[in-house]
Amino acid sequence: MKVLKFGGTSVASADVIRQVRDIVNHAESDRVAVVVSALGGVTDRLLETMDIASRQDAAYRKALKGIEDRHLEVVRELMPMKSQSGILSKVKSELNVLETLLDGAFYIGEITPRLSDRIVSFGELLSAFIISEYFTSSGLTAEFKDSRELLLTDQNHGKAAVDFKESNKRIREYFEQEKAAVVVLPGFIASSEDGNVTTLGRGGSDFTASIIAAALEAEELQIWTDVSGMYTANPKIVKQAKPIAHISYEEAMELSHFGAKVLYPPTVQPVLAKGLPILIKNTFEPDAPGTLITRKSPEEGRTVRGISYIPGISLLSLEGPGMIGIPGISKRFFEVLSMANISVVLITQASSEHSICIGIADEDAPRAIREIDKAFSYERSQGKIKPVAHEKDLAIIALVGDQMKNHQGLSGRMFSTLGKNNVNIRAIAQGASERNISAVIRKEDVKKALNTLHETFFEENIKQLNLFVLGTGNVGAKLLEQLRKQKKYLKDHLRLNVRVLGISNSRKMYFDEQGIPLQQWSDLLQKGLKADPKEFFKTIQHINARNSILVDNTASEKVAERYPQYLRESISVVTCNKIACSSAYRNYKQLKDLASQYRAPFLFETNVGAGLPIIDTLKNLVASGDEVREIKAVLSGSLNFVFDHFNEDTSFHDVVRQAQEEGYTEPDPKIDLSGIDVMRKILILARESGFQLELSEIENRSFLPEEALKTRDNDSFFAALKKHESSFQKLVKAAKAKKCKLKFVASLKDGKASVGLQHIPAGHDFYSLAGSDNIVLFYTKRYPKQPLIVKGAGAGADVTASGIFADIIRVGTY
């Protein structure tokens, strides 16, 4: 014999009940016991109707009419016309009794526990009766059996305790006499010794099915629901969650306790002693394999079998010097909670005995605090124990697995993963069996925590990076295109799943928590909200995605000022914006410290040399113990382009205009030509070399006329260049006379830095530098005479975007 239980969603409508009939018909067993819940949502409707009636609100009659219509509609849709009359009559008769009970609640203005059990029992009774009649009318040999005649309980209404000895006897006797191939029984309900209706509490229909399966020593208990088994995590929160094929009783109970609602923990108890298998299946996908629960899960496979959580948790902490070394404090503490009928879901105590911390349901917290403070009022008055500390709006997350105890480092991986994503842990609990590692976190962090842990333990090392991109101009647009083209490559070869969740330019911003389709980003951005840096940050906080990265493609000082906010949220920052790293040294140092403190990479390779690995090379030299003695560099691709193309036959104005049009200069070309941009770059290299230098300490030998330097817009600037063309021609002629080329060179030596035009003779490393190329010569303790050289394209949207792309990948491998 097999026992099949169908939950409310599995009997929610006539169409679904037809599927149930097909499942029962193909159950591959000579005899089947079918335990059903109330039609989906009916139990909640009964409770609501009962509450309305107890408040003496006549609207309960309308609510009752809705319940009646629901059942009558299902009968009419399921039954042949000739069979409907008698069934409708029976259903109406039962509903008349229900109406009488609700009338009583209305007149007396209250609901007793006994009356409540009686009223809610109608959901399962009507459902089981209708389904059994439908089975019979559709060709199955089916019989209805009232579970109240089989299950005996105490009189604890709402959550009655089962008398297993008597119940098992009744169940066995009935099924020995009953010859029908299919027996349909209402779940959830039972009766007490005095004949009153009782209920088995939350998940009671599962419990009913388990009791019957254990009593009959059934070959299998099947629980049919609306999901394809128990999952590695809640699939509504973790989209990558997968069904678990095979799991042990203990693992199933742990996951059920921590929120896996497809199985009610007490369900396992009756079948546990008998070693009966439980199979969880999906009514809507009956061919899906589901989850098999047995005494032992397979030895091979993952150590962590699932990740789950309990929302709505409060932490209560009792602490004080009067607790140290005093026997009985813990006993008194937990006794108070027990007397108040408050369930404790997590316990942790410091070895110093200075404090005890517990996790309980949020709704129980005020009562618990009141009772605990009352019980320890004397110790509080003496200053030996402090008032109960209360933290609310928390959640418990848990790793579960039988084999966890045999593998070292799981706790470390769990807490390290959470820490990297700024998930603050308020309390920890781990039993000696190591089947469960639990942590208490803020409820706002649950989604991020579950996804992060699932990625770490279940997703074959595929790491998801969630990008928020500021700036969609030349560089930003190129970056988004590179990300679109390389998405599959990153996933297949680097195990990185890179998504863009937010984008913004100076006018609009747009977000999509599921990932912005990059082939449509421009159109979607136009439909977005008005750009606002504060709201951009707040939205990222609200989304609270794991492995979040701010990608700044702007040259905005206001954006750079907000980097500390992002780093404090453990949001990594990747930027080509030089303003932050070239601002006051204390700001630069703060950003580096925050990145280290919050384990959020702050990467700015493209601040110097666009896509060239200049900063990365320098970092590796310093990290390996080398010492930078001197740096000589051509760091402006735009200036190198200008002076490579400028000669006696060209106009300086025209060459600069060409450089701007081809994307080699900043939007304001004066930043490049004034030397400010190069000053910032050599300053960053100086700081990365270990020198505490300020921008104002760098000597700038500018070649621009004073009038050009004082202009306030591009039109005025270009007009000034035209006006002073003769002075630029003099520069070219002077270099030519010496058989040299003009290069704008940055130098760092003995902690002092300078920038300016230099005459570069033939044979020098800088002489053959062409186009927008950059070059850096590192003279170090290891490279004292022949420098380490980094050379290549140092400007342009494509190469800058590729440098940002490389930094994003570095974050992914951090």
Side-chain angles (χ1 to χ4, degrees), residues 269-410:
Q269 297 297 342
V271 298
L272 181 60
K274 299 290 181 69
L276 305 180
I278 302 174
L279 182 61
I280 299 175
K281 297 275 284 180
N282 189 342
T283 306
F284 305 94
E285 293 183 41
D287 293 331
T291 297
L292 179 64
I293 305 172
T294 59
R295 285 188 187 273
K296 291 184 178 181
S297 59
E299 291 296 327
E300 69 278 0
R302 300 183 183 277
T303 54
V304 177
R305 306 308 303 280
I307 306 166
S308 202
Y309 80 107
I310 305 175
I313 295 296
S314 281
L315 276 185
L316 303 186
S317 298
L318 186 69
E319 61 179 81
M323 295 172 60
I324 301 173
I326 306 299
I329 292 289
S330 297
K331 174 181 178 295
R332 289 173 59 195
F333 183 64
F334 291 110
E335 194 170 57
V336 168
L337 298 170
S338 176
M339 295 296 291
N341 200 29
I342 294 171
S343 178
V344 177
V345 294
L346 179 138
I347 304 169
T348 179
Q349 180 173 12
S351 58
S352 65
E353 300 183 29
H354 183 264
S355 66
I356 302 173
C357 179
I358 62 165
I360 62 174
D362 276 335
E363 58 266 25
D364 291 334
R367 184 159 48 95
I369 293 169
R370 188 168 57 249
E371 295 299 323
I372 294 167
D373 282 344
K374 186 192 303 180
F376 290 94
S377 59
Y378 174 75
E379 287 84 354
R380 286 176 55 209
S381 68
Q382 298 296 307
K384 294 180 179 180
I385 292 180
K386 299 177 183 179
V388 175
H390 176 211
E391 293 180 67
K392 61 180 180 178
D393 297 328
L394 304 171
I396 298 175
I397 55 171
L399 297 187
V400 173
D402 281 342
Q403 303 303 315
M404 284 165 46
K405 60 181 177 294
N406 298 323
H407 293 263
Q408 292 75 32
L410 287 177

Side-chain angles (χ1 to χ4, degrees), residues 9 18 44 59 107 282 306 349 400 542 573 587 781 799:
T9 54
R18 291 188 184 99
D44 288 338
Y107 290 124
N282 189 342
Q349 180 173 12
V400 173
H542 174 72
V573 175
N587 295 335
K781 185 170 62 176
V799 293

Side-chain angles (χ1 to χ4, degrees), residues 53 60-61 64 96 98-109:
Y60 79 92
R61 293 190 178 93
L64 176 61
N96 287 338
L98 173 61
E99 182 178 16
T100 301
L101 296 171
L102 289 168
D103 287 343
F106 174 78
Y107 290 124
I108 64 173

Side-chain angles (χ1 to χ4, degrees), residues 56 70 208 210 260 295 453 736 748:
Q56 297 186 313
R70 172 83 178 278
T208 301
S210 182
R295 285 188 187 273
L453 291 173
K736 185 177 181 181
L748 173 71

Side-chain angles (χ1 to χ4, degrees), residues 775-786:
I775 186 170
V776 180
L777 311 181
F778 290 110
Y779 293 89
T780 72
K781 185 170 62 176
R782 294 176 190 151
Y783 299 90
K785 295 181 180 179
Q786 293 297 322

Side-chain angles (χ1 to χ4, degrees), residues 504-664:
S504 178
N505 57 23
S506 60
R507 301 175 301 280
K508 296 283 188 176
M509 60 183 187
Y510 179 80
F511 296 90
D512 185 339
E513 290 189 44
Q514 303 306 315
I516 297 170
L518 293 184
Q519 65 273 20
Q520 303 170 32
W521 72 263
S522 183
D523 293 337
L524 292 170
L525 182 58
Q526 297 306 312
K527 301 172 184 176
L529 303 171
K530 182 180 178 181
D532 184 325
K534 288 183 180 179
E535 289 304 314
F536 193 82
F537 174 68
K538 286 182 180 178
T539 304
I540 295 175
Q541 278 186 308
H542 174 72
I543 292 174
N544 203 15
R546 67 193 187 279
N547 305 324
S548 291
I549 306 173
L550 174 74
V551 181
D552 179 15
N553 303 310
T554 74
S556 167
E557 185 174 357
K558 290 183 178 179
V559 171
E561 288 173 351
R562 293 186 177 276
Y563 291 172
Q565 290 180 312
Y566 288 93
L567 294 172
R568 287 191 181 98
E569 295 292 322
S570 292
I571 298 170
S572 302
V573 175
V574 169
T575 180
C576 61
N577 185 343
K578 291 178 280 291
I579 291 175
C581 288
S582 60
S583 62
Y585 180 81
R586 66 177 181 276
N587 295 335
Y588 163 83
K589 182 68 165 55
Q590 179 196 34
L591 292 172
K592 301 283 280 189
D593 290 344
L594 288 173
S596 175
Q597 180 181 352
Y598 291 95
R599 304 185 71 181
F602 171 47
L603 301 180
F604 43 90
E605 181 65 76
T606 48
N607 278 197
V608 182
L612 294 176
I614 295 172
I615 292 175
D616 193 51
T617 300
L618 177 55
K619 283 181 177 179
N620 290 336
L621 288 171
V622 173
S624 67
D626 204 351
E627 181 181 315
V628 176
R629 294 177 176 174
E630 184 178 4
I631 297 175
K632 291 182 178 180
V634 175
L635 294 172
S636 174
S638 52
L639 281 171
N640 197 55
F641 178 91
V642 167
F643 285 106
D644 192 52
H645 286 73
F646 178 51
N647 54 49
E648 293 169 305
D649 300 323
T650 59
S651 158
F652 190 75
H653 165 277
D654 291 346
V655 173
V656 173
R657 179 74 76 179
Q658 180 187 354
Q660 184 194 41
E661 289 172 353
E662 293 187 20
Y664 291 120

